[in-house]
Amino acid sequence: MEGAAERGVLAVLVVLAGLAACGSGSEIIEGPKNVTALKGSEARFNCTISQGWKLIMWALRGTVVLSMTPNGSIITNDRFTSASYQEGANFISEMIIHDVQLSDAGQVKCSLQNSDRDGAAFLSVQVMGRLLIPGGSLVVIEDNPCNITCRALNWTPLPDLSWEIGVPVSHSSYYSILEPEDLQSVESVLALTPQGNGTVTCVAEMKGLDVRESVTVRLTVVQPPLDSIDKPGTSLPTWAIVLLAVSLSLLLILVIVLIIILCCCVSRTEKEGNLLLKSATMKTSKDTLGTKLESGNENYGYHSDEPRTIHEWLEPASLHDKSSEASVPEQRSSRQPHQESNHHQLGPANHPPVSFNMGSPKKVRNVTLV
């Protein structure tokens, strides 16, 4: 085997040397285009050349892997084969890469011997890894939130994960997170509240290729246990939570309205009471003022400048004596003989009445109302 391979290489070199010496007047009309291929699949590149060519060379990542002459192809590796087509006056050379590997990713070049122009393209290789849902088929409780996890392992590049839900649910959402210890893996978590039986499918789509991978699990929904209804912490159904929230909101609004109405009524009642009280007070003041004007009180501390007789000067003293006698009746009875002797001494028999006429002008006596 090694001797045959060495002879093949030597034959290629001899042919290339001969063609190089002969030269070529053809040129590349259109070079290959970029290709994205899955690992393990085939990748094809085409190069359109004008007539008169002598040698076509295909290189991958700087190394010639396939050569073609008008007499046939020179193959050094079974993974690289060729095909040819005629398109009018032009010749199309095709290189086929079988069982594409990650190590094949790189530049692909088509060139002619003794030609300054070549055609280049880029080969991208993607790896489809495994897609799985741990646990397989699941049994969940009706109207009870649950999570389903889908993992994509060893993908290059990382795929886009999505979900296809085939069960009736009241709520569903999902998000993706990267594996911290594996940069070629991603995980998607589906959160849903199931209400019936069905299937759930996790879908992985490759970027740049119309290729997708999916995995499906069966979801069986059961009724909640009877003893869990009365347990603390058991969540209510969504419709019950919504109904309770609406009822509480309406009750709160009604309480606020009643408080506002009550405050308005109390304020109005207070205003009316103040007005009635003010009116009654004003009426009472007017009645009191009128009564005082009709019957005023005499101010005994007022002294007139009119001439007064001796009797008028003695009258206040006698009134004072009478009030003293009324307050202390026993003293009056015990001292009555003595007082009578005094009165006899001041009687009219011993002292005739005398009147004093003051020289001041006559004035009118005034009464002060309090």
Side-chain angles (χ1 to χ4, degrees), residues 249-263:
S249 301
L250 294 177
L251 180 61
L252 180 61
I253 294 174
L254 180 61
V255 170
I256 293 175
V257 172
L258 291 177
I259 291 175
I260 293 174
I261 294 174
L262 182 61
C263 291

Side-chain angles (χ1 to χ4, degrees), residues 338-351:
H338 180 72
Q339 291 179 354
E340 289 179 355
S341 62
N342 292 338
H343 283 292
H344 287 297
Q345 293 178 1
L346 297 174
N350 297 327
H351 300 278

Side-chain angles (χ1 to χ4, degrees), residues 197-327:
N197 299 329
T199 59
V200 176
T201 302
C202 177
V203 180
E205 295 181 344
M206 299 292 295
K207 299 176 182 179
L209 291 176
D210 189 15
V211 177
R212 53 180 282 169
E213 180 74 10
S214 63
V215 58
T216 302
V217 295
R218 178 74 181 175
L219 203 65
T220 303
V221 178
V222 298
Q223 295 294 328
L226 295 178
D227 57 351
S228 66
I229 297 177
D230 298 331
K231 288 182 178 180
T234 303
S235 60
L236 295 175
T238 304
W239 63 268
I241 296 175
V242 173
L243 181 61
L244 181 61
V246 173
S247 302
L248 291 178
S249 301
L250 294 177
L251 180 61
L252 180 61
I253 294 174
L254 180 61
V255 170
I256 293 175
V257 172
L258 291 177
I259 291 175
I260 293 174
I261 294 174
L262 182 61
C263 291
C264 293
C265 292
V266 171
S267 177
R268 184 175 179 180
T269 304
E270 289 180 354
K271 289 182 180 179
E272 292 178 355
N274 292 336
L275 290 176
L276 292 175
L277 181 61
K278 184 177 181 180
S279 177
T281 304
M282 292 178 63
K283 184 176 180 181
T284 304
S285 300
K286 289 181 180 180
D287 294 342
T288 305
L289 180 60
T291 303
K292 288 184 178 181
L293 290 176
E294 292 177 359
S295 58
N297 296 326
E298 184 175 359
N299 185 4
Y300 294 100
Y302 176 81
H303 298 281
S304 174
D305 294 335
E306 295 181 357
R308 302 176 63 180
T309 62
I310 187 65
H311 295 287
E312 293 175 347
W313 286 98
L314 295 175
E315 185 177 357
S318 64
L319 292 175
H320 177 72
D321 293 338
K322 288 180 180 181
S323 62
S324 300
E325 290 174 3
S327 61

Side-chain angles (χ1 to χ4, degrees), residues 60 75 77-81 96-101 103-104:
L60 177 63
I75 300 174
N77 191 327
D78 293 337
R79 291 181 55 238
F80 303 94
T81 60
I96 305 171
I97 304 176
H98 303 274
D99 191 18
V100 175
Q101 301 297 317
S103 58
D104 296 334

Side-chain angles (χ1 to χ4, degrees), residues 107-125:
Q107 187 183 56
V108 176
K109 183 182 293 186
C110 170
S111 62
L112 297 176
Q113 187 69 30
N114 294 335
S115 175
D116 296 334
R117 183 181 178 184
D118 56 20
F122 194 85
L123 172 61
S124 298
V125 180

Side-chain angles (χ1 to χ4, degrees), residues 13-166:
L13 294 177
V14 171
V15 172
L16 293 177
L19 292 175
C22 295
S24 176
S26 64
E27 62 179 358
I28 296 176
I29 298 175
E30 184 180 0
K33 296 181 180 179
N34 296 336
V35 174
T36 300
L38 286 175
K39 178 184 177 182
S41 64
E42 291 183 352
R44 295 174 177 265
F45 297 90
N46 293 334
C47 187
T48 303
I49 306 169
S50 62
Q51 292 291 341
W53 61 276
K54 299 299 182 181
L55 177 64
I56 302 174
M57 293 178 293
W58 287 94
L60 177 63
R61 302 180 62 177
T63 302
V64 177
V65 294
L66 180 65
S67 299
M68 296 182 64
T69 66
N71 296 327
S73 301
I74 303 174
I75 300 174
T76 59
N77 191 327
D78 293 337
R79 291 181 55 238
F80 303 94
T81 60
S82 66
S84 59
Y85 312 93
Q86 195 71 32
E87 187 180 63
N90 299 324
F91 178 81
I92 298 177
S93 174
E94 182 180 49
M95 180 182 69
I96 305 171
I97 304 176
H98 303 274
D99 191 18
V100 175
Q101 301 297 317
L102 278 174
S103 58
D104 296 334
Q107 187 183 56
V108 176
K109 183 182 293 186
C110 170
S111 62
L112 297 176
Q113 187 69 30
N114 294 335
S115 175
D116 296 334
R117 183 181 178 184
D118 56 20
F122 194 85
L123 172 61
S124 298
V125 180
Q126 296 186 357
V127 179
M128 180 181 291
R130 293 189 302 153
L131 187 67
L132 57 92
I133 296 178
S137 298
L138 303 174
V139 178
V140 296
I141 300 176
E142 182 180 3
D143 287 325
N144 191 27
C146 62
N147 294 334
I148 303 176
T149 303
C150 178
R151 300 185 65 189
L153 305 176
N154 302 323
W155 291 66
T156 303
L158 294 176
D160 294 328
L161 297 180
S162 60
W163 292 86
E164 295 177 356
I165 302 174

